[in-house]
Amino acid sequence: AQRVTQPEKLLSVFKGAPVELKCNYSYSGSPELFWYVQYSRQRLQLLLRHISRESIKGFTADLNKGETSFHLKKPFAQEEDSAMYYCALRSYNTDKLIFGTGTRLQVFP
Amino acid sequence: DAGVTQSPTHLIKTRGQQVTLRCSPKSGHDTVSWYQQALGQGPQFIFQYYEEEERQRGNFPDRFSGHQFPNYSSELNVNALLLGDSALYLCASSPANRVRESSYNEQFFGPGTRLTVL
């Protein structure tokens, strides 16, 4: 079964602290993984995708096929990073996205 | 470009009723996907429309149906509403011009329609 698991509902850190939002997936085949973010009163938007291997707003995520994980990391959290983060998996050859339940990141000043 | 727009913003219905939600895709987009997001959950894929046909479907009953119009806008219809249908319904559109069929075109999400079933 295809599934995305985000074990933490809430992650609270202080500004400047490192952040790691966990994501594990279950998928037979080559997955394509994404992180979506929803800031307060804004719509869901793509943050980054593993294929592009880019850093967006200081966030990076590495696909670890051995551990079936795609954790989102940032070395120094900023207050403006406070948002809801969703990890998502795309089935090959479809546009269907399978989302995790999300993790709320709170960054305190 | 206002991006993906959805109407109405909020809707209250009673059990057994029928509801229609509407979505206008971002300019230049031809594909529309619908997701259901229950409270405390991530979005769940309902179905996707392309060229006025349902192309992919998630694990939702036949009470959920849709339509896409020639201008690429779309409707989501839900019949015989249940209390469990209460959720935020998200529409997402993706662009035309696929480089290759297996490539992913980013989905842009609308603000959603909040449906409450009493």
Side-chain angles (χ1 to χ4, degrees):
Chain A
Q2 300 167 9
R3 188 182 306 136
V4 175
T5 303
Q6 294 180 252
E8 304 141 326
K9 282 193 181 300
L10 174 65
L11 184 63
S12 300
V13 300
F14 286 101
K15 177 182 171 182
V19 167
E20 181 178 69
L21 289 88
K22 292 184 167 45
C23 171
N24 288 91
Y25 67 90
S26 171
Y27 183 75
S28 54
S30 292
E32 194 170 343
L33 285 142
F34 307 83
W35 277 98
Y36 275 79
V37 61
Q38 188 167 27
Y39 301 101
S40 179
R41 297 188 198 88
Q42 293 187 28
R43 53 189 72 185
L44 196 60
Q45 58 186 285
L46 179 65
L47 179 63
L48 56 79
R49 49 196 297 189
H50 90 269
I51 280 182
S52 53
R53 293 181 165 273
E54 55 196 347
S55 172
I56 303 292
K57 298 184 179 183
F59 284 99
T60 58
D62 290 319
L63 179 61
N64 185 323
K65 291 186 179 180
E67 295 182 359
T68 59
S69 68
F70 187 56
H71 303 328
L72 183 68
K73 300 177 185 178
K74 185 169 183 176
F76 308 103
Q78 303 298 315
E79 288 178 67
E80 55 266 29
D81 296 328
S82 295
M84 196 74 186
Y85 291 81
Y86 293 95
C87 182
L89 164 72
R90 175 200 170 212
S91 298
Y92 178 73
N93 235 13
T94 77
D95 285 338
K96 173 184 174 181
L97 292 175
I98 299 165
F99 285 87
T101 51
T103 297
R104 179 167 299 282
L105 174 64
Q106 288 182 334
V107 182
F108 295 109
Chain B
D1 181 17
V4 179
T5 59
Q6 293 186 244
S7 63
T9 307
H10 297 89
L11 205 48
I12 298 175
K13 292 285 188 178
T14 55
R15 278 180 298 174
Q17 285 189 310
Q18 179 264 343
V19 69
T20 297
L21 310 182
R22 294 177 177 81
C23 171
S24 290
K26 188 174 166 63
S27 177
H29 289 190
D30 63 353
T31 303
V32 173
S33 302
W34 286 93
Y35 291 82
Q36 180 196 65
Q37 187 173 19
L39 200 60
Q41 302 296 314
Q44 271 197 288
F45 179 80
I46 303 175
F47 43 51
Q48 183 182 79
Y49 276 83
Y50 173 66
E51 292 188 339
E52 302 181 48
E53 290 189 0
E54 182 183 294
R55 189 164 69 163
Q56 297 162 32
R57 190 177 182 95
N59 191 23
F60 279 80
D62 292 344
R63 298 187 296 110
F64 289 77
S65 63
H67 188 76
Q68 186 178 35
F69 299 93
N71 67 353
Y72 309 122
S73 66
S74 176
E75 287 182 350
L76 164 65
N77 301 293
V78 187
N79 294 323
L81 285 167
L82 303 173
L83 295 180
D85 294 332
S86 295
L88 180 68
Y89 287 84
L90 296 170
C91 170
S93 71
S94 31
N97 300 324
R98 296 173 189 278
V99 174
R100 49 188 172 89
E101 193 55 41
S102 60
S103 67
Y104 173 73
N105 286 325
E106 179 181 345
Q107 294 183 32
F108 289 76
F109 284 82
T113 293
R114 172 78 57 192
L115 172 64
T116 302
V117 182
L118 302 176

